[in-house]
Amino acid sequence: MTNHYVEDDGGNFRFDYSIEFLTWALTPPGYKTEWLVGVRGGKNKKLYGFISGIPVTIRTYGVARVMAEINFLCVHK
């Protein structure tokens, strides 16, 4: 993920999240494994892309709704 997530225009700055942080961020209470999506291909089943969603409760006009918060979109260069 370090080489394929957020980076600056020159490729000098990148996020380098620990496995512990990613586990915490991707598996909050009520998370859904089907909202963690990877795209694999080739002979080695290489991971080419990933996107995640976690459930969040949003309150609008006094009504609570469960929605998805999308994060960690990564695409192999």
Side-chain angles (χ1 to χ4, degrees), residues 7-77:
E7 68 178 40
D8 66 347
D9 290 337
N12 299 312
F13 173 81
R14 293 186 178 98
F15 288 117
D16 189 12
Y17 294 123
S18 68
I19 291 174
E20 293 80 13
F21 173 81
L22 289 171
T23 300
W24 173 83
L26 295 172
T27 58
Y31 80 99
K32 301 175 186 310
T33 57
E34 61 269 22
W35 289 10
L36 307 176
V37 180
V39 176
R40 293 185 177 274
K43 293 178 184 175
N44 298 341
K45 301 292 184 199
K46 185 175 183 177
L47 184 63
Y48 287 102
F50 177 82
I51 190 167
S52 69
I54 59 170
V56 293
T57 302
I58 304 294
R59 183 174 298 276
T60 56
Y61 300 107
V63 178
R65 294 177 173 88
V66 177
M67 297 185 175
E69 177 182 309
I70 304 301
N71 205 347
F72 299 115
L73 170 63
C74 303
V75 178
H76 191 283
K77 293 179 183 180

